[in-house]
């Protein structure tokens, strides 16, 4: 089959690799219908996150089950399924608590020795604990299928951030970051009943999506200017709930500065650099809570799935460019150049 591999910074290739096969009785093989490129993949693309030459890549996909091992009870050939970005056994204490990202037998797609989502097919370990079945008819609805793909990562991650930030009905929310996760954070905050949502971003195409998703205000400034703008919009107090969806020291500093006393920050931006931007004394004095981390999206898919199916939420607009599998290297360049927000891959 064909699959995307990474060999060095900015060296993405689509190559022939061995077809996935059932290796464990709990495995299934999924033929990929939709995949995508994540903003976090760009850290590997740029050489910031180390990868072995020839390693697979991509952690968001949905598709059709082609084969199932003898121990698989929940899926059969022909089922349409979506995969969260981490596989998990579904039986350990962490999985039972809804923290599948800490499953001792779990792992990330594209990690060394595993298949990546940006290919024609994927071997899925622990299928019963990992995959979620989708309605078969969704396979013929292109827009719906694209929206469902967002459940593999960005929609669930935005929801995780909103929960960590303590978004509730009537609250004021600020979202730091105008990437796909930040935009899904806006959508999640609206879904949870936020009354006011302030999106921080300077790219009009992205902030237009934020407004469509429910943002009531947009702040284009950065740094201290952004902090002042949010303070002005909130009567000097700041936001009850702040979503941090970037992962840099500056973004975290901004998040702390615009949080209302007694408020919370939900952080899901993958941290980069040694600095955290956190001054614990400031957070202590102002009673600011910090919650978040890698999102256990497998726990959220059953909750979010009905709302995507009935159109209550539609995250599909975050995908603003489409490539076939051979076009994936060009898709990486487009996202790195910021000419694309999030690239959809149709193998």
């Amino acid at each position: 089959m064909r699959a995307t591999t990474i060999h060095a910074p900015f060296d993405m290739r689509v190559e022939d690799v061995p077809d996935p096969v059932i290796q464990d009785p709990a495995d299934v093989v999924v033929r990929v219908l939709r995949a995508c490129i994540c903003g976090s993949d760009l850290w590997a693309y740029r050489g910031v996150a180390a990868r072995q030459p020839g390693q697979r890549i991509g952690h968001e996909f949905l598709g059709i089950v082609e084969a199932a091992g003898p121990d698989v009870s929940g899926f059969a050939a022909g089922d349409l399924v979506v995969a969260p970005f981490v596989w998990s056994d579904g039986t350990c204490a962490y999985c039972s608590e809804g923290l599948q990202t800490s499953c001792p037998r779990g792992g990330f797609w594209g990690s060394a020795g595993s298949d990546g989502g940006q290919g024609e097919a994927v071997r899925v370990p622990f299928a019963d604990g990992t995959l979620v079945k989708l309605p078969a008819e969704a396979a013929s609805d292109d827009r719906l299928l694209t929206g469902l793909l967002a459940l593999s990562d960005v929609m669930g991650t935005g929801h995780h951030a909103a929960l960590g930030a303590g978004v509730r009905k009537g609250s004021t929310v600020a979202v730091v970051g105008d990437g796909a996760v930040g935009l899904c954070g806006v959508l999640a905050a609206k879904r949870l009943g936020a009354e006011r949502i302030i999106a921080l971003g300077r790219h009009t195409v992205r902030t237009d999506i934020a407004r469509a998703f429910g943002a009531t205000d947009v702040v284009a400034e950065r740094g201290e200017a952004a902090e002042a703008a949010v303070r002005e919009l909130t009567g000097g107090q700041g936001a009850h709930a702040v979503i941090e969806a970037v992962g840099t020291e500056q973004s975290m500093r901004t998040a702390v500065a615009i949080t209302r006393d007694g408020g919370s920050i939900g952080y899901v931006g993958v941290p980069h650099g040694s600095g955290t931007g956190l001054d614990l004394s400031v957070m202590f004095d102002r009673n600011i809570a910090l919650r978040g981390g890698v999102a256990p999206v497998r726990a959220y898919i059953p909750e979010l799935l009905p709302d995507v199916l009935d159109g209550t939420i539609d995250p599909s607009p975050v995908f603003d460019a489409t490539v076939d599998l051979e076009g994936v290297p060009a898709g990486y360049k487009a996202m790195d150049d910021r000419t694309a927000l999030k690239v959809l891959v149709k193998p």
Side-chain angles (χ1 to χ4, degrees):
M1 71 169 190
R2 303 285 284 172
T4 307
T5 56
I6 182 168
H7 292 263
F10 308 105
D11 185 2
M12 310 299 298
R13 306 177 193 176
V14 180
E15 302 179 305
D16 291 326
V17 300
D19 291 337
V21 296
I22 302 296
Q23 297 180 18
D24 183 273
D27 291 349
V28 303
V29 172
V30 172
R31 174 171 53 87
V32 176
L33 294 182
R34 295 288 186 278
C36 53
I37 302 172
C38 184
S40 64
D41 292 332
L42 296 180
W43 297 112
Y45 179 71
R46 296 165 181 159
V48 177
R51 294 291 189 274
Q52 299 176 7
Q55 190 170 330
R56 308 283 182 83
I57 196 166
H59 54 263
E60 300 156 283
F61 65 94
L62 57 74
I64 302 290
V65 174
E66 288 203 324
D71 288 354
V72 176
S73 60
F75 304 95
D79 286 343
L80 180 65
V81 294
V82 63
F85 64 81
V86 171
W87 72 78
S88 53
D89 63 20
T91 61
C92 73
Y94 287 114
C95 288
S96 299
E97 295 166 4
L99 194 63
Q100 290 89 343
T101 49
S102 290
C103 177
R105 296 199 289 175
F108 289 79
W109 311 113
S111 56
S114 73
D115 294 331
Q118 294 162 18
E120 291 183 316
V122 176
R123 179 183 74 88
V124 178
F126 304 112
D128 285 332
T130 300
L131 299 174
V132 175
K133 189 179 297 186
L134 303 174
E137 57 270 21
S140 60
D141 186 330
D142 188 70
R143 185 180 181 90
L144 177 57
L145 205 60
T146 301
L148 291 168
L149 175 63
L151 295 176
S152 66
D153 186 347
V154 289
M155 189 63 233
T157 297
H159 179 66
H160 186 58
L163 293 179
V167 176
R168 62 190 184 278
K169 188 174 181 179
S171 59
T172 294
V173 181
V175 180
V176 182
D178 61 1
V181 170
L183 294 174
C184 285
V186 172
L187 193 58
K190 179 68 174 178
R191 177 180 175 273
L192 291 172
E195 180 177 317
R196 192 173 194 183
I197 303 172
I198 304 167
L200 280 68
R202 61 170 68 182
H203 303 277
T204 304
V205 171
R206 300 182 180 201
T207 55
D208 284 349
I209 296 174
R211 289 188 184 279
F213 280 1
T216 55
D217 304 273
V218 169
V219 169
E221 294 84 359
R222 288 187 178 182
E224 292 182 358
E227 297 166 14
V230 174
R231 290 280 172 183
E232 183 176 357
L233 287 169
T234 56
Q237 293 188 341
H240 300 104
V242 175
I243 291 172
E244 192 286 312
V246 181
T248 64
E249 183 169 346
Q250 180 59 62
S251 64
M252 187 60 81
R253 287 185 185 278
T254 298
V256 172
I258 64 176
T259 303
R260 184 181 187 274
D261 287 16
S264 300
I265 299 169
Y267 72 105
V268 292
V270 179
H272 293 282
S274 58
T276 63
L278 288 175
D279 185 336
L280 292 181
S281 64
V282 170
M283 298 180 70
F284 181 87
D285 291 344
R286 296 175 50 214
N287 280 283
I288 293 175
L290 181 68
R291 307 183 188 91
V294 59
V297 299
R298 177 60 182 82
Y300 301 139
I301 293 174
E303 176 185 349
L304 297 173
L305 176 58
D307 283 0
V308 176
L309 291 174
D310 68 14
T312 299
I313 56 174
D314 177 16
S316 66
V318 302
F319 299 96
D320 62 342
T322 303
V323 297
D324 60 14
L325 192 55
E326 301 301 322
V328 168
Y332 271 87
K333 186 176 188 307
M335 285 183 62
D336 189 45
D337 292 342
R338 296 184 72 84
T339 59
L341 167 61
K342 189 169 181 65
V343 174
L344 178 68
V345 181
K346 294 183 176 181

